[in-house]
Amino acid sequence: MMTVHEVSKISGVSIRALHHYHNIGLLPATEVTEAGYRLYDDTALERLHHILLFKELEFSLKEIKDILDSPDFDRNRALEQQIHLLELRKEHLQNLIDLAWGIKTIGVKEMNFDSFDTRKIDEYAAKAKESWGSTKAYKEYEQKSAGRSKEEQQKLNIEMINIFAEFSRIKDHKPDGEEAIRLAKKLQDFITENFYTCTNEILQELGKMYAGGGDFTDNINKTCGKGTAEFANEAIQSYCRGLF
């Protein structure tokens, strides 16, 4: 058994954070002594490993708790994702190291910024996050899409594209303008009605994903015109922050 101070020391997680994890039920102490000291066993430490993994994948603490408490939680799948994500980050860091050594040795010969590109990492993290069906939003999505025919799904996809096409038609306007804000609200309502409850927080994350530079960005811009994804994200962020 380890004390909260010992767990903090070996994990890098602050004592204050560990106390918070205990209080919200995310990482309950295995035992609390009569003197009030919190003790953690190996099972708790393994759970902490998974908590830190899902934080790397940018899950909220509530989402992490829901996943870890789910009877469907797959420890091996979580570890496989962690390993792959770390390998991607290792490759990214090695590219940056090689670039830095090259600049130090021969200077900058060409303006190539490929080594700074984190899209592969970001896309994998997003897909890993999507793969965990224990979240409330994902469960709601499964319920709403159950029994939906291929034709019905295709119709919804076209309606979604049409919303982005509307963003494209006004992308020379201000993203915090009345029309842009209206479209952001329209997109939020569309997602809530047909997929899952789209809170402002979820919509903000979706906006960042749309403009994140990966497949989502490429597909939106290819279909609706260059700059559409980025403008839609700016409008979404303005709407969610109430900047109108």
Side-chain angles (χ1 to χ4, degrees), residues 70-88:
S70 169
D72 300 325
F73 176 66
D74 187 332
R75 171 185 176 276
N76 288 332
R77 181 158 66 103
L79 289 172
E80 287 171 2
Q81 290 177 338
Q82 181 183 34
I83 290 168
H84 187 65
L85 183 61
L86 290 172
E87 287 175 342
L88 289 175

Side-chain angles (χ1 to χ4, degrees), residues 90-108:
K90 177 183 176 182
E91 178 185 347
H92 175 65
L93 287 173
Q94 188 60 56
N95 289 337
L96 290 175
I97 291 170
D98 292 343
L99 175 65
W101 274 113
I103 293 174
K104 181 178 180 181
T105 305
I106 62 175
V108 178

Side-chain angles (χ1 to χ4, degrees), residues 107-125:
V108 178
K109 296 299 182 182
E110 57 180 286
M111 292 297 178
N112 188 328
F113 293 89
D114 291 346
S115 297
F116 296 96
D117 192 344
T118 63
R119 280 181 293 180
K120 186 187 295 186
I121 297 172
D122 296 339
E123 284 181 20
Y124 177 78

Side-chain angles (χ1 to χ4, degrees), residues 148-161 190:
R148 187 177 287 164
S149 69
K150 184 177 180 181
E151 291 73 21
E152 290 172 330
Q153 183 60 52
Q154 187 174 25
K155 182 175 181 293
L156 289 177
N157 291 341
I158 292 173
E159 290 180 25
M160 175 81 85
I161 290 172
F190 176 82

Side-chain angles (χ1 to χ4, degrees), residues 47-58:
R47 184 177 173 99
L48 179 57
H49 273 99
H50 290 303
I51 291 170
L52 297 179
L53 156 66
F54 285 114
K55 280 176 63 65
E56 287 291 328
L57 297 176
E58 298 183 353

Side-chain angles (χ1 to χ4, degrees), residues 5-224:
H5 290 82
E6 291 170 330
V7 173
S8 176
K9 185 175 181 179
I10 67 169
S11 68
V13 179
S14 71
I15 293 174
R16 181 178 181 182
L18 290 171
H19 285 168
H20 179 60
Y21 293 174
H22 173 88
N23 292 335
I24 65 175
L26 176 61
L27 184 68
T30 308
E31 179 184 330
V32 180
T33 68
E34 292 183 1
Y37 293 107
R38 296 170 184 176
L39 302 176
Y40 299 82
D41 62 8
D42 289 344
T43 300
L45 293 179
E46 181 178 341
R47 184 177 173 99
L48 179 57
H49 273 99
H50 290 303
I51 291 170
L52 297 179
L53 156 66
F54 285 114
K55 280 176 63 65
E56 287 291 328
L57 297 176
E58 298 183 353
F59 278 75
S60 70
L61 295 182
K62 184 181 183 305
E63 289 173 329
I64 296 172
K65 183 179 184 302
D66 290 342
I67 290 170
L68 295 181
D69 290 343
S70 169
D72 300 325
F73 176 66
D74 187 332
R75 171 185 176 276
N76 288 332
R77 181 158 66 103
L79 289 172
E80 287 171 2
Q81 290 177 338
Q82 181 183 34
I83 290 168
H84 187 65
L85 183 61
L86 290 172
E87 287 175 342
L88 289 175
R89 290 184 173 171
K90 177 183 176 182
E91 178 185 347
H92 175 65
L93 287 173
Q94 188 60 56
N95 289 337
L96 290 175
I97 291 170
D98 292 343
L99 175 65
W101 274 113
I103 293 174
K104 181 178 180 181
T105 305
I106 62 175
V108 178
K109 296 299 182 182
E110 57 180 286
M111 292 297 178
N112 188 328
F113 293 89
D114 291 346
S115 297
F116 296 96
D117 192 344
T118 63
R119 280 181 293 180
K120 186 187 295 186
I121 297 172
D122 296 339
E123 284 181 20
Y124 177 78
K127 288 177 181 177
K129 185 170 182 177
E130 288 175 3
S131 73
W132 288 96
S134 300
T135 63
K136 181 179 178 181
Y138 193 90
K139 286 181 178 178
E140 187 178 355
Y141 167 77
E142 284 189 323
Q143 291 171 355
K144 288 189 175 182
S145 61
R148 187 177 287 164
S149 69
K150 184 177 180 181
E151 291 73 21
E152 290 172 330
Q153 183 60 52
Q154 187 174 25
K155 182 175 181 293
L156 289 177
N157 291 341
I158 292 173
E159 290 180 25
M160 175 81 85
I161 290 172
N162 286 339
I163 295 176
F164 282 102
E166 291 185 67
F167 276 117
S168 179
R169 285 193 287 271
I170 65 164
K171 62 188 177 186
D172 57 337
H173 296 184
K174 292 183 178 181
D176 59 350
E178 181 178 346
E179 188 65 13
I181 296 301
R182 182 190 69 79
L183 285 177
K185 179 66 164 60
K186 181 177 180 179
L187 177 62
Q188 183 181 44
D189 291 343
F190 176 82
I191 294 172
T192 295
E193 180 180 354
N194 297 289
F195 300 105
Y196 48 80
T197 302
C198 186
T199 63
N200 281 9
E201 291 77 13
I202 290 176
L203 186 63
Q204 282 184 303
E205 293 305 313
L206 287 174
K208 293 174 184 177
M209 185 169 62
Y210 295 148
D215 290 341
F216 283 102
T217 307
D218 293 340
N219 291 336
I220 292 171
N221 287 344
K222 183 177 180 180
T223 304
C224 301

